Amino acid sequence: MDGPRAIQMNELDQVISFLNENLRPDQSWTIDQEYPEVFNSKNTHNIQVVTDNENILSHAAIKFFLIKTPFGLFKTAAIGSVVTDPNHRNKGLSQSLLEKCIASAKEQQADFAILWTDLFNFYRKLGFELAGTEMSIIVDKNLLTTPSKLKFMDTLKIAPESILNLYSKHTVGSIRTVQELNRYLKIPNTKLYTAWDNNQLLAYAVEGKGADLNGYIHEWGGGVSHLVELFDYIYKSQKKPITIISPDNCSNLIRTLKDHHLTVNTGYLGMIKILNTKNLFSKIVRHARSLGENKFIFLEQDNEYILGVKSNLFKTNSEQDVIQLIFGPHSDSLLNKFDPETKKIIQKVLPLPMWFWGWDSV
Ligand SMILES: CC(C)(COP(=O)(O)OP(=O)(O)OC[C@H]1O[C@@H](n2cnc3c(N)ncnc32)[C@H](O)[C@@H]1OP(=O)(O)O)[C@@H](O)C(=O)NCCC(=O)NCCS
């Protein structure tokens, strides 16, 4: 057996065939079309496999993103397409590959890793915990009572520059180039809806992404009132409910949609594991200082996490608690572990707003 190891450039086609066979057996497209930023020649050093006699037995890939937040930029490792050949499962192959991915992401200075899964206990063994907040809002009724004056389109033939222009107004999300956006627009099963006034793009919304997110608007941008008009158009033209996925810090949009008495559900962003405590904690402390909390301390020492104010420091070795303290959600049982002063600071400073728009999911 060989690996876990990164693939060679000439093995990329074999990896794509392995993943198509095991993860997308019924689709007409290939996995690299669905994840153009993961499965390309520039990312082969982040595509990890275990092989035997030149056959792939197990696979996991990393895609790094630089995420802009009010706390600063964070380098994040999104891990995906984790799969083992059905004839070689339960031998620890996936676990060893994921350990390799975590080590490699640490070496490449990522602040944390994230993945999307329903195998919670499998990933908990590796130190991942459910964290962050995802809101989903179901649009199942008309949002406008009078006709909109905007012009709506549902075509992918829109200049990526104009979408990027609206996208970059988000306070949280990955840093993207026009070229990346252009490749995202070519993902199979993607629908793009846009709202215009006098040839000016005012709002966009994206539904579907390859085999995932059908019926979900997983990317959107523009002003709140224009977005509401666009969602109304999508609902009316599809004649079936659609679900808008949103970070919880987009409070104006969420409030406006709640005013229409729509159902709003709260879930987790994903499973997260912290990789670089020094960088992550120091940016949180710096943010606390900028909010006037000069006494706040947050550091890792001798495998313990220490936080609080100088006179009243809390120590824990629970990686899980720290992940949820940083990214939320803040349950009462978590917050009540702290004295009232520290609890107040934690609630003022954290959670760190974190979000991955749908096109970046791997
Ligand atoms: C999920 C999946 C990737 C796991 O792959 P795997 O190589 O069998 O995983 P591992 O062998 O490392 O771990 C599987 C189980 O075997 C156990 N195990 C680990 N090392 C072991 C060993 N040496 N011998 C026996 N069992 C072992 C693990 O603890 C784990 O137990 P758990 O299910 O109770 O958590 C595989 O089942 C798969 O490809 N599923 C379909 C695709 C999928 O769902 N991917 C996940 C997307 S997030």
Side-chain angles (χ1 to χ4, degrees):
M1 234 181 269
D2 186 17
R5 60 168 178 85
I7 62 163
Q8 303 289 324
M9 200 77 88
N10 62 8
E11 291 174 302
L12 184 57
D13 286 346
Q14 195 193 349
V15 167
I16 291 168
S17 302
F18 172 79
L19 296 176
N20 288 338
E21 219 170 280
N22 286 285
L23 294 176
R24 298 287 183 269
D26 304 319
Q27 307 300 354
S28 55
W29 62 82
T30 58
I31 199 120
D32 54 321
Q33 289 177 286
E34 213 173 305
Y35 303 108
E37 298 309 302
V38 182
F39 300 106
N40 66 52
S41 54
K42 288 198 188 112
N43 199 43
T44 49
H45 59 294
N46 292 316
I47 299 176
Q48 302 277 349
V49 290
V50 175
T51 58
D52 191 27
N53 286 329
E54 295 181 8
N55 292 317
I56 296 172
L57 304 187
S58 190
H59 168 275
I62 312 175
K63 165 70 190 156
F64 289 97
F65 293 99
L66 210 49
I67 307 285
K68 176 181 82 169
T69 79
F71 288 55
L73 289 175
F74 293 96
K75 184 171 179 179
T76 66
I79 298 176
S81 296
V82 178
V83 60
T84 298
D85 180 320
N87 299 317
H88 296 274
R89 290 185 184 166
N90 295 314
K91 295 176 183 171
L93 295 185
S94 213
Q95 219 159 324
S96 68
L97 262 173
L98 287 160
E99 278 161 10
K100 176 81 195 292
C101 286
I102 291 165
S104 167
K106 273 187 187 168
E107 259 169 45
Q108 295 182 67
Q109 320 265 307
D111 295 306
F112 64 91
I114 185 162
L115 47 84
W116 292 274
T117 181
D118 48 11
L119 303 174
F120 306 137
N121 289 329
F122 177 64
Y123 288 103
R124 278 197 179 109
K125 288 181 194 164
L126 293 151
F128 285 85
E129 187 50 68
L130 285 164
T133 303
E134 172 188 288
M135 311 296 285
S136 53
I137 306 123
I138 302 165
V139 179
D140 55 1
K141 53 171 77 108
N142 295 345
L143 303 178
L144 297 186
T145 45
T146 53
S148 170
K149 292 195 172 66
L150 303 181
K151 183 181 152 204
F152 300 104
M153 291 173 74
D154 37 19
T155 170
L156 289 161
K157 293 201 176 72
I158 305 290
E161 290 83 356
S162 41
I163 295 171
L164 194 58
N165 183 34
L166 290 183
Y167 171 81
S168 55
K169 294 192 167 66
H170 286 305
T171 48
V172 182
S174 67
I175 308 281
R176 290 174 177 169
T177 63
V178 173
Q179 290 76 16
E180 278 164 354
L181 214 93
N182 211 9
R183 288 191 286 272
Y184 280 157
L185 282 167
K186 295 193 174 79
I187 295 176
N189 265 354
T190 291
K191 280 198 191 116
L192 173 64
Y193 301 93
T194 46
W196 302 79
D197 184 29
N198 282 330
N199 294 329
Q200 195 194 346
L201 179 68
L202 296 180
Y204 70 91
V206 183
E207 186 206 332
K209 180 194 182 219
D212 299 322
L213 298 168
N214 290 319
Y216 289 91
I217 301 291
H218 58 81
E219 295 248 347
W220 44 263
V224 169
S225 64
H226 300 134
L227 278 165
V228 170
E229 293 184 48
L230 183 59
F231 296 154
D232 179 76
Y233 163 77
I234 299 169
Y235 170 66
K236 283 176 183 156
S237 60
Q238 289 203 354
K239 298 187 184 70
K240 62 171 195 228
I242 48 155
T243 303
I244 317 292
I245 305 178
S246 170
D248 62 343
N249 63 309
C250 294
S251 41
N252 280 345
L253 179 74
I254 294 166
R255 199 179 322 114
T256 308
L257 293 174
K258 272 186 179 164
D259 288 346
H260 285 87
H261 306 287
L262 303 181
T263 305
V264 179
N265 296 311
T266 306
Y268 294 102
L269 168 62
M271 290 195 87
I272 296 178
K273 179 180 171 68
I274 296 168
L275 302 178
N276 185 341
T277 46
K278 202 170 164 212
N279 193 40
L280 194 54
F281 294 0
S282 72
K283 282 185 181 165
I284 292 168
V285 169
R286 193 183 64 186
H287 188 72
R289 301 271 184 278
S290 78
L291 297 175
E293 294 299 342
N294 297 324
K295 292 189 289 178
F296 185 59
I297 288 169
F298 197 178
L299 47 91
E300 187 187 10
Q301 214 168 53
D302 305 326
N303 293 324
E304 270 192 319
Y305 304 101
I306 302 168
L307 80 159
V309 292
K310 233 180 216 150
S311 52
N312 212 350
L313 287 173
F314 288 82
K315 288 184 184 176
T316 173
N317 49 22
S318 166
E319 203 178 345
Q320 268 80 7
D321 276 1
V322 170
I323 294 168
Q324 289 199 338
L325 267 179
I326 294 176
F327 298 100
H330 287 171
S331 64
D332 287 343
S333 63
L334 181 60
L335 288 178
N336 289 339
K337 291 178 182 176
F338 302 94
D339 72 299
E341 189 189 3
T342 311
K343 184 174 157 180
K344 223 172 99 198
I345 299 175
I346 289 171
Q347 284 179 300
K348 182 171 168 187
V349 177
L350 296 167
L352 189 176
M354 182 50 60
W355 189 247
F356 286 73
W357 294 94
W359 265 331
D360 294 332
S361 65
V362 298

